[in-house]
Amino acid sequence: MRKIAIVGAGQAGLQLALGLQDQGYTVTLVSERTPEQIETGRVMSTQALFHDACLTERQLNLNFWEEMCPPVEGIAFSVPHPDLNGDKAVAFAARLDHPAYSVDQRVKFAGWLRVFKERGGTVILEQADVQSVDQLSEGHDLTVIATGKGELGRLFARDDVHSPYRAPQRHLALAYLKNTVPRPEHSAVSFNLIPGAGECFLLPGLTRSPDGSLQPYENVLIEAVPGGPLDVFENITSPDELLSTMLQLMQTFCPWEYERIKDGELTDPQATLTGRVTPQVRRPVAALPSGRLVLGLGDTLVVNDPITGQGAGSAARAAATYLESILRRAERPFNRSWMQDTFGAYWDHARFTTAWTNAMLGPPPPHVLAVLTAAQTQPGVAHAFVNAFNHPPHFFPWLTSPEEAAAFVDRHSTSA
Ligand SMILES: Cc1cc2nc3c(=O)[nH]c(=O)nc-3n(C[C@H](O)[C@H](O)[C@H](O)COP(=O)(O)OP(=O)(O)OC[C@H]3O[C@@H](n4cnc5c(N)ncnc54)[C@H](O)[C@@H]3O)c2cc1C
């Protein structure tokens, strides 16, 4: 059997490693942290996985936590009234055809890493660099770099055509809360768009409490437009201060959400995160000093702002696409053209996610506002909009064309 090395034990790297291992491949996985370090480390994401991404995990029987995880049954979209008087200027909600799930990546990655090891996988515990990757690649038929937003990604050249931004478009603050109140109608990603200021998101998930038991919690994510009224996190140093600042912002900008989380407490001492992401696409193949080639995977190649909640789902899809391509390759060499084709098969879908996510970072044009307005009174439009989160190609072509947007509304106005 062929030998595959994977650097990076996150959503993409672990899922691919476990999938290959299941098919009898000899897999070496490089992780910079032990399962215990991951489990007790800082939160990383809100990690909502929509249905198609969940299916890629289910197909490999890796959905260990799904039954315990509170389902995300829909998406609720709101825009506050410009006077911030507690009213909503836009509001609609619809159910997803199939629920999404948010399993704390600390739980998932630690669990998957343990399973990979128990099933006989080789784990190298180190922070890989170019030299160590080069050495590793010597003994493997294929080396995949899945280090997310880590430094190693710089091996891969920037794709300027698909990377419109040179700087982060949002400053992020994330908190995991317990003792919150569920949405009354159905659970949802609550997506609050505050024009010119940013976005506030709430969604339920599953985490591990400090006593080791699994517990439901609420993700609270604020995405601040740099320099805007939500962009106040820079000098905050303590988790408690971050939480009280986030609560104050929610009270001002989306009081209906504040009511649900005002008594919330952090789930654990590492339950907060601040940061920023520069959206970027990179070329899929890089050469090591030896001349051997490596293939990038997941956020290493395509990183989007979390505004649309797609990165982990895209990483899962990428892992599934690469797995299929590796299996199909059988004994033939993993050469440059195969690597490019493998990424290309993923990019055929991911390009829609990237285009949609980048569009969401700017102010919505009038034809998009018209769709959002129609969604308030037309359940069919709301349903189509919400369910496109599971399949971003469905945001096109209407997202970029006023005529297509009008046709989209017409098409879905009659269907509930
Ligand atoms: C605030 C926030 C909210 C988000 N919300 C969502 C959401 O709701 N839904 C969604 O789908 N996505 C979301 N995302 C994005 C999602 O978390 C990522 O896109 C996804 O985890 C990417 O998977 P990956 O495997 O490519 O990288 P990662 O999951 O980041 O894994 C990379 C791994 O490589 C390791 N690593 C890095 N460098 C090295 C090295 N040199 N040597 C060894 N190991 C290394 C890292 O420790 C990590 O374990 C969010 C992101 C953020 C920041």
Side-chain angles (χ1 to χ4, degrees), residues 106-366:
R106 297 176 298 178
V107 173
K108 184 191 282 186
F109 296 174
W112 279 359
L113 189 52
R114 286 197 181 99
V115 168
F116 175 76
K117 214 168 171 189
E118 280 160 21
R119 293 178 180 171
T122 302
V123 177
I124 298 175
L125 197 62
E126 69 171 16
Q127 188 176 50
D129 58 20
V130 175
Q131 281 68 40
S132 67
V133 171
D134 210 349
Q135 273 175 16
L136 185 70
S137 71
E138 197 180 357
H140 291 84
D141 298 300
L142 170 66
T143 301
V144 176
I145 308 293
T147 49
K149 296 177 270 296
E151 286 293 302
L152 257 186
R154 291 174 188 270
L155 267 171
F156 300 88
R158 188 172 190 272
D159 175 347
D160 289 327
V161 174
H162 297 107
S163 306
Y165 302 116
R166 288 270 175 193
Q169 299 302 297
R170 295 288 187 274
H171 294 171
L172 312 174
L174 170 64
Y176 284 17
L177 299 187
K178 58 185 180 183
N179 297 339
T180 57
V181 179
R183 274 187 88 249
E185 301 85 359
H186 55 76
S187 66
V189 175
S190 295
F191 185 150
N192 299 278
L193 189 157
I194 303 141
E199 299 79 20
C200 299
F201 298 92
L202 270 70
L203 67 140
L206 183 77
T207 187
R208 195 180 298 285
S209 60
D211 71 9
S213 62
L214 292 167
Q215 62 171 357
Y217 75 102
E218 193 81 19
N219 291 281
V220 182
L221 172 64
I222 296 183
E223 293 225 357
V225 171
L230 297 176
D231 187 15
V232 294
F233 310 119
E234 184 147 0
N235 298 317
I236 294 178
T237 48
S238 85
D240 288 337
E241 193 192 347
L242 183 66
L243 175 57
S244 67
T245 306
M246 291 175 76
L247 288 174
Q248 278 167 25
L249 292 173
M250 301 291 277
Q251 188 174 21
T252 306
F253 289 96
C254 22
W256 49 89
E257 309 292 13
Y258 172 75
E259 284 305 312
R260 295 208 288 125
I261 60 170
K262 62 184 180 193
D263 298 323
E265 296 166 36
L266 296 172
T267 55
D268 63 89
Q270 301 277 29
T272 58
L273 177 76
T274 55
R276 43 191 76 176
V277 173
T278 303
Q280 183 153 262
V281 179
R282 295 178 186 271
R283 304 253 173 235
V285 187
L288 296 167
S290 62
R292 283 186 292 272
L293 301 179
V294 284
L295 171 64
L297 168 67
D299 268 10
T300 300
L301 297 185
V302 182
V303 57
N304 292 314
D305 187 278
I307 187 170
T308 52
Q310 297 288 319
S314 296
R317 177 181 287 274
T321 305
Y322 283 31
L323 174 62
E324 199 187 317
S325 182
I326 291 168
L327 299 183
R328 225 180 313 114
R329 193 66 174 165
E331 294 303 314
R332 285 167 289 159
F334 297 116
N335 53 18
R336 183 184 284 273
S337 67
W338 173 84
M339 290 182 180
Q340 280 165 340
D341 289 350
T342 298
F343 173 74
Y346 163 63
W347 180 244
D348 273 350
H349 185 279
R351 67 195 172 92
F352 292 104
T353 306
T354 294
W356 165 48
T357 305
N358 286 339
M360 293 289 287
L361 292 168

Side-chain angles (χ1 to χ4, degrees), residues 373-409:
T373 306
Q376 298 192 95
T377 52
Q378 301 289 341
V381 176
H383 175 265
F385 181 86
V386 159
N387 279 279
F389 276 71
N390 178 49
H391 189 72
H394 285 167
F395 283 108
F396 295 86
W398 68 263
L399 195 74
T400 52
S401 154
E403 295 75 26
E404 292 289 347
F408 174 84
V409 170

Side-chain angles (χ1 to χ4, degrees), residues 8-12 32 45-48 105 126 128 146-148 299 306 309-313 315:
Q11 175 74 42
E32 61 180 351
S45 180
T46 60
Q47 70 259 316
Q105 288 186 334
E126 69 171 16
T147 49
D299 268 10
Q310 297 288 319

